[in-house]
Amino acid sequence: MNARELSKYNVGENLDQLMNLDPRGYGVCRILYPAARKAMGSSLCMKTAETLHAILSQDKRPKSEKAPVYIMTGFVLKEHECPETDGITGALLLARALVVAYDVTPVFVIPKKCVPAITAAAPHLGLHAYADLEKAKSVSLSLAYMTISEDVQEAAAETEAILELPKPAALFCTESAGANAKGVYHNAVGADITSLEAKSDALFNALKKAGVPTFAVGDLGNEMGMGLIKRHVEKYIPNGKEIIAATSADYLVTATVSDWGVYAVIAALAYLNGKIEIMHDEQMEEAVLRACCLSGMVDMTGSLLPAIDGFSVDIEKQIVALMRSTVEYAIAYPQNKWFDGVLEKGFYGKC
């Protein structure tokens, strides 16, 4: 390990800890994290960011010729039958980060109910939103979106049409409802919500089988890709045996709130590129979250006030500020003799 590697290691550790702060205190994030960490072998957000960076930074072609990145999100809650703010908010901010860092076209794969949030929030990201993928690829500062129905037959046709398109460079899922092995979708308390959710699992599995790298972020176990730690969720999470998603991602991030996990990945991408502007700030966080709420996205409590998983917009901004300032400092801090002295003592040789 050299000074740069030591810095990167500790940035990853810092961000993993920030995304797993547990203000609620019921500890689910600390149940999930060790299993995901064991599967990944190192910092979850940094491993994910490094892999995305390796995939996207090597493609030097013009934007119109680059393979897009698919972003799958959208978890519809039972009471009001509206998508929740967790997932869509982070996904939008990730889309911006990918455009800024790699000039790639993000393509959302979402329930139809999420479209208003995409189109309303895109201007707050400085991006244009198009239903036409080729149009989005041909112009700057743009994202695209495609929809998957909650109806099984419609979803099958939509999935088939998407699979006829050229393969994406990667598939990134965050807080996207995932069915269990029986094809049933559940909410956090184990209620059947199959009729409400987009049937995106077949697309996930088909793209993974085709060799597309799959990334997932979750905060409970019923999200797409969380099957990677199936046995752990079944053993330690309430209703785990019923809710655990059957899909298994290649790379997994677990966090207190899925959006916090996505923010940590964005922050890690900023660090790897040495450009803090890849990470959004608190003002953009609030603007995007408010746009989502005004478009019908709800907090997990059912409220249309700006919050994510019960955490107010003020807490969301504080998490973003901590992640951003942590990375900004690390980018600027000189890797000097202090790093060499620490490395000589051998402690980090174990990491």
Side-chain angles (χ1 to χ4, degrees):
M1 180 179 282
N2 57 33
R4 167 67 176 176
E5 291 167 341
L6 177 59
S7 172
K8 182 177 69 177
Y9 170 84
N10 282 304
V11 168
E13 296 303 304
N14 291 338
L15 293 172
D16 274 17
Q17 290 177 37
L18 287 172
M19 73 187 185
N20 281 290
L21 287 177
D22 189 14
R24 300 189 194 104
Y26 70 16
V28 167
C29 59
R30 295 193 173 99
I31 294 172
L32 298 174
Y33 183 80
R37 178 77 180 222
K38 183 178 180 181
M40 293 296 96
S42 61
S43 160
L44 307 184
C45 69
M46 190 60 74
K47 181 71 170 286
T48 295
E50 283 188 296
T51 307
L52 278 171
H53 179 69
I55 293 169
L56 300 177
S57 62
Q58 66 183 357
D59 193 343
K60 305 300 184 183
R61 294 176 296 172
K63 178 179 182 286
S64 61
E65 299 176 16
K66 291 180 180 178
V69 174
Y70 286 1
I71 301 176
M72 190 179 286
T73 192
F75 203 118
V76 179
L77 301 186
K78 187 174 184 179
E79 183 180 11
H80 297 285
E81 298 187 2
C82 296
E84 64 171 320
T85 49
D86 191 21
I88 191 72
T89 308
L92 282 158
L93 292 158
L94 175 66
R96 173 195 172 273
L98 296 178
V99 170
V100 173
Y102 306 107
D103 193 29
V104 70
T105 305
V107 180
F108 283 82
V109 183
I110 50 175
K112 292 180 177 67
K113 289 181 177 181
C114 287
V115 171
I118 298 292
T119 56
H124 296 285
L125 303 167
L127 301 180
H128 303 266
Y130 292 99
D132 183 337
L133 172 56
E134 290 306 312
K135 174 65 174 179
K137 288 180 66 176
S138 69
V139 293
S140 63
L141 300 171
S142 298
L143 60 82
Y145 59 88
M146 304 182 288
T147 60
I148 297 285
S149 175
E150 66 274 7
D151 179 83
V152 174
Q153 291 185 339
E154 289 181 8
E158 289 161 343
T159 298
E160 185 176 346
I162 293 171
L163 290 173
E164 291 177 357
L165 299 172
K167 286 194 302 184
L171 169 63
F172 194 105
C173 304
T174 175
E175 196 65 23
S176 184
N180 67 11
K182 296 179 180 179
V184 180
Y185 299 78
H186 294 90
N187 65 12
V189 298
D192 186 336
I193 52 171
T194 304
S195 63
L196 300 178
E197 304 304 333
K199 306 303 184 291
S200 304
D201 307 69
L203 178 60
F204 179 101
N205 288 326
L207 290 172
K208 183 178 180 181
K209 186 177 180 180
V212 175
T214 56
F215 303 83
V217 183
D219 57 29
L220 187 64
N222 55 348
E223 303 93 356
M224 195 83 70
M226 288 287 284
L228 184 66
I229 55 171
K230 178 178 184 289
R231 292 182 181 178
H232 192 80
V233 171
E234 289 178 338
K235 185 175 182 179
Y236 293 113
I237 298 298
N239 305 302
K241 291 184 178 179
E242 290 76 35
I243 71 170
I244 183 63
T247 47
S248 178
D250 297 314
Y251 301 90
L252 180 64
V253 174
T254 61
T256 302
V257 177
S258 290
D259 278 347
W260 296 3
V262 176
Y263 302 160
V265 172
I266 295 170
L269 289 171
Y271 174 81
L272 293 172
N273 284 279
K275 297 179 179 179
I276 193 59
E277 59 268 24
I278 292 169
M279 176 78 181
H280 62 288
D281 60 18
E282 308 98 289
Q283 289 72 36
M284 186 174 289
E285 169 74 18
E286 181 170 3
V288 170
L289 178 53
R290 289 188 181 277
C292 288
C293 293
L294 290 171
S295 302
M297 309 295 106
V298 297
D299 176 37
M300 74 173 188
T301 64
S303 173
L304 284 163
L305 294 175
I308 301 174
D309 269 7
F311 295 112
S312 71
V313 65
D314 290 333
I315 294 178
E316 296 298 320
K317 289 163 64 178
Q318 290 162 5
I319 292 292
V320 169
L322 278 169
M323 290 184 178
R324 183 182 169 94
S325 60
T326 295
V327 168
E328 186 172 26
Y329 193 90
I331 290 172
Y333 193 79
Q335 292 159 17
N336 55 24
K337 63 182 181 180
W338 288 102
F339 284 76
D340 295 334
V342 169
L343 288 167
E344 285 173 5
K345 303 302 289 185
F347 177 85
Y348 284 100
K350 306 171 186 176
C351 299

